[in-house]
Amino acid sequence: MAPQADHGLLHVRHNVLKEVARLAFEGNLEEGVEYLPERIYPGPLPTYRCCVYREREITRQRIRLARGMAPDHRDNGNIIQVMDPACADCPSSGYLVTDRCQNCVGKPCLHSCKFGAIDIGKGHTEIDRHLCKECGQCAKACPYNAIVHIERPCQSACPVKALTYDEYGLAQIDEKKCIRCGQCIHSCPFGAIGTRNHIVPVIEAIKSGRHVYAMAAPATEGQFGKDITMASWKKAAKEIGFTDFIEVGLGADLTTASEAIEWLEAFEKGEPKTTSCCPAFVNMIHRHYPQLEKYVSTSVSPMCQLSRMIKAKDPGAMTVFIGPCVAKKSEILDQKIEGNADYALIYSEFEALMYAKGVTLEPVEEPYQEGSVYGKRYATSGGVTDACMRYLQEQGKDTAGVKVLRVSGIKEIKKALDQMKKGTLPEQFVEGMCCEGGCFYGPSAYDNSPRARLTREAVLKQADSRSITGNLSNYDLEGHHSHREIAE
């Protein structure tokens, strides 16, 4: 589920998405959105901010994001955007003197500061935030622990220190550092950070009669209850108007078949290799460890594998990924891999489509399975490794001596990549997932609680035991290309 700071904001975000989707399906988007902020917040009294006029302006910017635009006239191209009216007035990060200050005679805090930021003040010490460099020496020196460090939730959530603040205290995203993981989005109690949505072009494509395929991530199973299966999603997608629905577990099997062989070839050459299915992990290497890019697997992600397979059979088709991952939007917009999905939606965006068409997820008796259980388990840490090792065994390959490090979460990833950079990593391969525990725990998950994890296991036990090799033999893969081009 969303972090606690985000619970009160979900209905605000989702309400805008649902209304934009409804208007788009009705063909009344341009005229309807003009008055939507006033309809949602009629006033005259505010609902949650200082005044109804700020609420309406924030809503206008949310509408722009819902339409795939930047929230205002500034557009840095990032899928993650800051809405200034929602960000304004958030307390600045820094050190703060609390009431525990005893105004002691020794003034150790005063003498510890090298920047002249400490003032004796009236009654207790004060810190000039304009002079403070946030070195923390004053807090260490205080014998009463009266000085505390206050950090904005969005800043503390960012694993790569990509968030800074301008002179007005408004959040700024450093494009050269941001890995598009989305951790900052649900950590902001004001909902000031959001992503560009692509529900409108998806709706327009469906309405035009174009073939549009929905593809749900393996992480989907278990998040919506034990009775909601991939068959439930297939039924809902077709009722919305999608041409068809295919689970991305099949794409995971395709990735396994190519990446496993790539691992073995690298092992025989004595070269290291990393996985490539987590776009935030790939972005992490690209922006923070560029010297390791040559070791990233060239096998495209399960999303891209399945999209290529669909488009090979249905030229001109549009493919839409659905899952809990914000970084998948980055894989499409930033990495621009040939044949990749055209759009990526998080669950709340797909729910907006269902709302607009009066569709709900319902239990379906008829079984539906496209991927092996190994492909389905790509959603949790270690799943890629297990699948690759299994595939090599199915192919009769010798995996003795092959060592893989399974890491999830930025802290573990940094440690592994630092070792790889130094050449001291004992394992030959690194399976990296930026979300702790894997994709199932993505920033936009519907329910990633321990209970949902148990539900997921119950759902996966219902899957048949088909092998990866046997599953892929059921599909025509002639001409299917599983790798991305490497820039020279």
Side-chain angles (χ1 to χ4, degrees), residues 460-474:
L460 292 184
K461 285 181 180 179
Q462 299 174 15
D464 63 44
S465 58
R466 68 183 70 178
S467 67
I468 301 169
T469 305
N471 188 43
L472 293 180
S473 68
N474 295 323

Side-chain angles (χ1 to χ4, degrees), residues 161-300:
K161 307 300 180 186
L163 272 167
T164 57
Y165 306 97
D166 65 14
E167 65 271 27
Y168 304 106
L170 298 174
Q172 306 287 308
I173 299 175
D174 188 336
E175 293 301 299
K176 295 180 180 179
K177 293 182 178 180
C178 179
I179 60 174
R180 281 70 162 156
C181 66
Q183 295 298 324
C184 59
I185 295 172
H186 295 281
S187 69
C188 176
F190 294 98
I193 306 177
T195 66
R196 297 170 184 265
N197 308 142
H198 297 111
I199 56 177
V200 173
V202 170
I203 291 171
E204 293 302 325
I206 291 173
K207 289 172 58 180
S208 72
R210 182 178 178 181
H211 287 189
V212 186
Y213 293 79
M215 312 181 300
T220 303
E221 291 181 297
Q223 297 208 22
F224 297 81
K226 63 182 180 64
D227 295 326
I228 301 302
T229 63
M230 286 297 187
S232 304
W233 280 81
K234 188 180 185 74
K235 178 176 180 292
K238 298 186 80 169
E239 287 177 350
I240 289 171
F242 285 93
T243 304
D244 204 351
F245 168 94
I246 304 175
E247 64 162 314
V248 181
L250 171 57
D253 285 343
L254 289 164
T255 295
T256 297
S258 59
E259 190 156 276
I261 299 302
E262 197 173 0
W263 281 14
L264 193 60
E265 291 174 350
F267 176 71
E268 292 171 348
K269 294 178 183 178
E271 298 176 351
K273 191 69 72 174
T274 77
T275 52
S276 60
C277 55
C278 172
F281 177 61
V282 174
N283 288 342
M284 180 77 177
I285 294 175
H286 174 67
R287 289 175 169 78
H288 298 272
Y289 295 88
Q291 63 271 58
L292 301 180
E293 280 196 89
K294 59 185 177 181
Y295 300 129
V296 177
S297 168
T298 64
S299 298
V300 295

Side-chain angles (χ1 to χ4, degrees), residues 5 68 123 169 387 451:
R451 181 184 62 184

Side-chain angles (χ1 to χ4, degrees), residues 141-167:
C142 179
Y144 293 100
N145 297 317
I147 303 177
V148 297
H149 187 228
I150 305 298
E151 188 173 27
R152 283 187 175 182
C154 58
Q155 189 176 48
S156 61
C158 180
V160 291
K161 307 300 180 186
L163 272 167
T164 57
Y165 306 97
D166 65 14
E167 65 271 27

Side-chain angles (χ1 to χ4, degrees), residues 49 58 82-90 152 165 169-171 188 190 192:
R49 295 305 293 259
I58 294 171
V82 178
M83 292 171 281
D84 289 349
C87 182
D89 299 333
C90 181
R152 283 187 175 182
Y165 306 97
L170 298 174
C188 176
F190 294 98

Side-chain angles (χ1 to χ4, degrees), residues 313-342:
K313 301 296 180 290
D314 189 355
M318 175 187 286
T319 53
V320 180
F321 177 84
I322 306 153
C325 181
V326 170
K328 280 297 181 185
K329 298 183 180 185
S330 168
E331 181 183 325
I332 293 170
L333 296 178
D334 295 347
Q335 297 181 24
K336 297 179 180 177
I337 304 170
E338 181 185 357
N340 209 347
D342 296 283

Side-chain angles (χ1 to χ4, degrees), residues 20-38:
V20 169
R22 179 182 62 81
L23 291 169
F25 268 118
E26 292 176 352
N28 192 33
L29 184 61
E30 293 298 332
E31 181 179 348
V33 296
E34 183 178 353
Y35 302 102
L36 188 56
E38 285 77 11

